[in-house]
Amino acid sequence: METGSPHDTGPAGTAGAAEGEPGWIGLPPGLLRMRRLLLVVWLGLLAVGLGLLLGLTAGPVWAACALVPLVLIAWGWVLLGRNWRSWRYAERADDLLISRGVLWREETVVPYGRMQLVEVTSGPVERHFGLASVQLHTAAAATDATIPGLDPAEAERLRDRLTELGEARSAGL
């Protein structure tokens, strides 16, 4: 159940928000694919390197220690899926909500009038996967927030909308 539209609503990607609930938007599946690929590549290389090193220096019995990174790949695969499903955001009339976390739930509320800067960033790996992140800066560093792994067009739309709403709300201060 890890696939779904980035515009699904509800905490677990279920359609139809309850009355009074914000319209939650989940992250696109490209972010999950990128993170899982990075997990497999890095821990796979570690497993191969560790297996070769221990096999040549300490013997084949010790080379079995290379199975540890493979177990970590399986565990990380599941954890990355749970983490990806926990991320969501909602645009409300006066603020932006960002919710994340599996074990420790964290919900950030960023009032539009407090936004000072909205950035769209995309590193080389993110660009390869067609992803971008939106970072919000406010006067209080504790309320800075990031929404990772968005489609670049959605990230730019969100940046423009948040900037427009921020300017409109701050003009009244």
Side-chain angles (χ1 to χ4, degrees):
M1 253 357 256
E2 292 163 1
T3 60
S5 167
H7 299 288
D8 288 343
T9 58
T14 56
E19 193 172 323
E21 283 283 315
W24 291 105
I25 301 171
L27 298 182
L31 178 66
L32 180 61
R33 282 193 296 273
M34 178 190 75
R35 288 180 174 174
R36 283 182 169 169
L37 180 66
L38 291 173
L39 173 78
V40 169
V41 166
W42 288 112
L43 288 179
L45 287 173
L46 179 65
V48 169
L50 189 62
L52 286 173
L53 179 68
L54 290 174
L56 294 174
T57 59
V61 174
W62 283 98
C65 290
L67 294 176
V68 172
L70 297 179
V71 171
L72 291 175
I73 287 174
W75 187 47
W77 191 274
V78 172
L79 291 181
L80 285 173
R82 289 182 64 196
N83 180 270
W84 171 77
R85 281 189 302 276
S86 76
W87 275 86
R88 58 192 184 153
Y89 65 97
E91 300 173 58
R92 297 194 307 182
D94 295 321
D95 50 33
L96 177 74
L97 295 176
I98 302 171
S99 179
R100 64 194 167 281
V102 176
L103 213 52
W104 285 274
R105 245 11 232 147
E106 191 174 326
E107 195 164 290
T108 304
V109 179
V110 184
Y112 296 134
R114 297 289 182 180
M115 290 183 200
Q116 292 183 331
L117 175 68
V118 182
E119 290 181 307
V120 174
T121 59
S122 186
V125 176
E126 286 178 310
R127 277 194 309 274
H128 179 75
F129 283 89
L131 300 171
S133 296
V134 172
Q135 186 166 9
L136 307 142
H137 299 279
T138 63
T143 57
D144 286 2
T146 301
I147 304 172
L150 297 174
D151 295 318
E154 171 65 8
E156 290 176 15
R157 183 204 67 81
L158 190 59
R159 178 200 58 208
D160 293 344
R161 177 163 163 68
L162 295 176
T163 301
E164 179 183 310
L165 288 168
E167 289 172 356
R169 298 293 193 280
S170 66
L173 292 179

